[in-house]
Amino acid sequence: MATLVLVLILLITRFLKGFLGNIAVLLGIIMGCVLAWYLGKMSFDKVADAPWFALIYPFQFGIPKFEIVSIITMCIVMVVVLIESAGMFLALGDITGRTIDRATMSRGLRTDGLGTVIGGVFNTFPYTSFSQNVGLVGVTGVKSRFVCVAGGVIMLIMGLVPKLGALVESVPLFVLGGAGIVMFGMVAATGIRILSDVDYKTSRNNLYVVAISIGFGMIRWSRRPSSPSCRRS
């Protein structure tokens, strides 16, 4: 199923132009969901049970508690998230042809931090720049910030309709996996293109940065699958 979704996305991207070509990933997911429902691999029971409208208000699950261990843990996680966001900004800058200087990077990281605070107030996960978005920009070729703003408004409206949330939750993981191969692969390709412009001849430090990063990545993927912790992860 994941391979079929991947093939559908590639065929749509190859043979369709304009608007349909730009939404190749969405069309692939929809077709995958239709086939999964036909094969009995997708259920809409949660969609039927969910209400049409629900108002979201701050601290719906209770007032936050301040614990030093939790604060330190979250700060460490946010440092990792900001490093990931920095990579996303550089990748997007490379795709859109815009230079990401220190001031631009600072504004982006501050926006990520503000989004995280707003997300916590409104009872959800931290907001940050996701690599899937970089893949979507690369696949669709849509680089307008106004499209992002329109998408944000649509998402705010959808957040008030629990049935839509239940519908998204019902999408099988193998359908999302097929689309994820395209988007994450585009991120990797963009990273390789950025690394090709790095000066390796006159600066050994750049070699060490790339070598250590790849080394840790290899360690991550080479963990033995026989370990119970590996199977759970």
Side-chain angles (χ1 to χ4, degrees):
M1 287 294 298
T3 303
L4 178 60
V5 173
L6 172 60
V7 172
L8 288 173
I9 293 175
L10 294 178
L11 290 175
I12 294 173
T13 304
R14 174 64 180 83
F15 294 105
L16 296 183
K17 306 296 181 182
F19 177 73
L20 293 179
N22 289 337
I23 61 172
V25 175
L26 178 60
L27 291 178
I29 293 177
I30 293 175
M31 293 179 183
C33 289
V34 172
L35 183 57
W37 172 80
Y38 179 77
L39 297 176
K41 301 295 184 179
M42 183 175 179
S43 174
F44 295 98
D45 295 338
K46 292 184 178 180
V47 179
D49 296 336
W52 279 102
F53 178 80
L55 187 63
I56 300 173
Y57 54 88
F59 305 121
Q60 191 166 352
F61 300 117
I63 301 299
K65 299 179 181 179
F66 296 91
E67 300 176 354
I68 184 63
V69 176
S70 300
I71 292 173
I72 294 176
T73 303
M74 291 181 182
C75 288
I76 295 175
V77 172
M78 281 307 301
V79 170
V80 177
V81 169
L82 292 178
I83 294 174
E84 179 185 3
S85 297
M88 299 304 102
F89 298 155
L90 293 174
L92 280 174
D94 182 74
I95 294 177
T96 59
R98 179 175 178 179
T99 302
I100 305 299
D101 54 17
R102 179 175 297 182
T104 305
M105 181 71 71
S106 298
R107 290 196 299 269
L109 295 178
R110 284 197 297 266
T111 303
D112 263 6
L114 179 61
T116 297
V117 173
I118 295 176
V121 171
F122 285 93
N123 324 295
T124 186
F125 298 104
Y127 292 104
T128 182
S129 302
F130 287 94
S131 55
Q132 297 95 320
N133 298 323
V134 180
L136 282 176
V137 173
V139 171
T140 63
V142 177
K143 306 173 183 179
S144 172
R145 67 181 65 182
F146 298 104
V147 174
C148 297
V149 174
V153 173
I154 293 173
M155 293 296 290
L156 286 174
I157 297 175
M158 292 175 62
L160 300 175
V161 184
K163 280 190 178 295
L164 292 177
L167 178 62
V168 174
E169 183 185 2
S170 63
V171 176
L173 291 179
F174 50 80
V175 174
L176 294 177
I181 293 175
V182 178
M183 293 184 289
F184 286 111
M186 186 65 67
V187 175
T190 303
I192 294 173
R193 184 170 59 182
I194 294 175
L195 290 176
S196 64
D197 297 329
V198 176
D199 181 16
Y200 298 106
K201 293 182 179 180
T202 60
S203 176
R204 292 190 305 169
N205 295 333
N206 292 334
L207 280 174
Y208 280 111
V209 171
V210 175
I212 294 174
S213 301
I214 294 177
F216 275 110
M218 295 290 287
I219 293 173
R220 171 69 176 175
W221 285 102
S222 62
R223 295 174 62 187
R224 297 182 62 182
S226 59
S227 172
S229 60
C230 292
R231 290 196 295 268
R232 287 194 298 269
S233 63

